[in-house]
Amino acid sequence: LPTAIIGIFFYLITMNNVFTETYDIERFDRAKETIRSPITIENEAETERKLRETVLSVSDRYTIVEEITTEQIKYIEEIFDAVDNLTNTNEAESEEKEEQEPISNTELFYQLQEILSNEITDNVDEIVFMQLIRNDAENREKGKKLLIDAVKKVLENGVRIENIQSAKEELNATIKYSTLDDDVKDVLNKLIDFAIVENSFFDVEKTLEARNEAASNVEPVIIRSGDIIVREGQIITNEIY
């Protein structure tokens, strides 16, 4: 008997700790009283929502292919260097043989076509070569330096397919507001489409790595014992239910 009495006593004093109050509620009803959480538990739905939002907020990662930048700069150098080489050689030979007429610009153009890379001759308007041949060496050198510096700056910042037009416009503005002669500006503008290409590409691995890192830093949402789940008079939404 004493054992039974002691058992009943301990049951009565611990009943509040083991008894969980239940509520008769329905979705979209108004709460008749303020309901608090009886235990500390993770709000899995809210944690999942927070995790999803965090992952989606991570922007895509891109990788700039430096080899493309280097290649484009080399093409530009090749164009100007080839023109300089042909015109200088032509002038030197004319001076050596005073009676000999210098090679015509048309002939220089054909020679230029033969020595330039196919990538250049296939993608650059022929008129550009004639204009470069007609310009003097000093103007060509100024144009070459400005174009290479500007193209390098644009490509090093990365050009994605969706912003390639804005990259070209940036280069166009640099040329427009330079102090170069108008005929040089005209040549450089014709080279923009050839010089500016996509060199920044979506990087799956870097993007996944960034998203995984962001997800790992998300703390679980905890509903602590005694936290208010719904206040008296509040609509019981599907999420609360």
Side-chain angles (χ1 to χ4, degrees):
L1 184 61
T3 302
I5 294 174
I6 294 173
I8 293 171
F9 172 75
F10 277 109
Y11 171 75
L12 291 174
I13 64 174
T14 59
M15 184 171 63
N16 286 336
N17 293 330
V18 298
F19 174 72
T20 300
E21 187 175 359
T22 59
Y23 299 90
D24 182 18
I25 58 175
E26 294 292 338
R27 284 182 299 173
F28 313 123
D29 284 349
R30 290 190 180 275
K32 297 177 181 179
E33 59 182 299
T34 296
I35 301 174
R36 297 177 181 272
S37 174
I39 58 174
T40 296
I41 189 172
E42 179 184 352
N43 185 337
E44 294 182 358
E46 186 63 18
T47 299
E48 180 62 28
R49 184 194 64 78
K50 185 178 178 183
L51 181 64
R52 185 168 58 254
E53 287 185 352
T54 299
V55 170
L56 291 176
S57 69
V58 176
S59 59
D60 292 339
R61 298 296 192 260
Y62 288 79
T63 293
I64 297 173
V65 181
E66 295 179 359
E67 290 79 6
I68 294 178
T69 302
T70 301
E71 185 177 51
Q72 292 306 107
I73 297 300
K74 285 183 177 179
Y75 283 142
I76 296 171
E77 290 176 338
E78 181 182 343
I79 293 171
F80 282 88
D81 291 348
V83 173
D84 284 341
N85 181 63
L86 285 177
T87 54
N88 290 340
T89 300
N90 186 35
E91 290 172 4
E93 289 179 352
S94 296
E95 290 176 0
E96 288 179 6
K97 302 175 182 179
E98 295 181 0
E99 71 285 355
Q100 180 177 322
E101 288 290 328
I103 298 174
S104 67
N105 286 344
T106 301
E107 182 60 32
L108 287 175
F109 165 74
Y110 288 126
Q111 290 182 14
L112 189 61
Q113 291 278 76
E114 292 176 358
I115 65 176
L116 289 174
S117 301
N118 290 336
E119 181 68 20
I120 297 173
T121 56
D122 290 345
N123 294 285
V124 176
D125 195 321
E126 293 180 352
I127 195 172
V128 171
F129 305 130
M130 287 299 294
Q131 287 179 292
L132 284 172
I133 291 171
R134 289 172 185 152
N135 270 281
D136 60 57
E138 183 179 355
N139 279 331
R140 279 200 304 269
E141 185 59 31
K142 290 179 180 178
K144 172 185 175 183
K145 184 179 186 309
L146 183 140
L147 185 61
I148 288 177
D149 289 346
V151 169
K152 188 175 182 181
K153 178 182 177 182
V154 170
L155 292 180
E156 285 182 345
N157 287 333
V159 177
R160 304 204 300 265
I161 190 65
E162 64 267 27
N163 65 7
I164 193 167
Q165 187 57 41
S166 61
K168 291 178 180 180
E169 290 171 358
E170 178 184 341
L171 182 54
N172 178 265
T174 300
I175 295 170
K176 179 180 179 180
Y177 296 110
S178 72
T179 58
L180 296 173
D181 291 346
D182 288 342
D183 54 345
V184 180
K185 290 181 180 180
D186 185 49
V187 174
L188 300 188
N189 280 325
K190 288 185 174 72
L191 285 168
I192 288 178
D193 284 341
F194 172 72
I196 300 301
V197 296
E198 180 185 11
N199 74 333
S200 182
F201 303 92
F202 176 64
D203 193 313
V204 176
E205 291 185 5
K206 286 185 179 180
T207 302
L208 289 176
E209 182 180 345
R211 289 175 179 172
N212 288 335
E213 182 179 355
S216 67
N217 292 325
V218 174
E219 297 289 340
V221 178
I222 301 298
I223 299 175
R224 303 194 179 280
S225 178
D227 284 353
I228 294 176
I229 298 176
V230 61
R231 295 184 181 278
E232 181 180 355
Q234 183 181 351
I235 296 293
I236 300 171
T237 64
N238 193 58
E239 182 180 3
I240 293 174
Y241 188 81

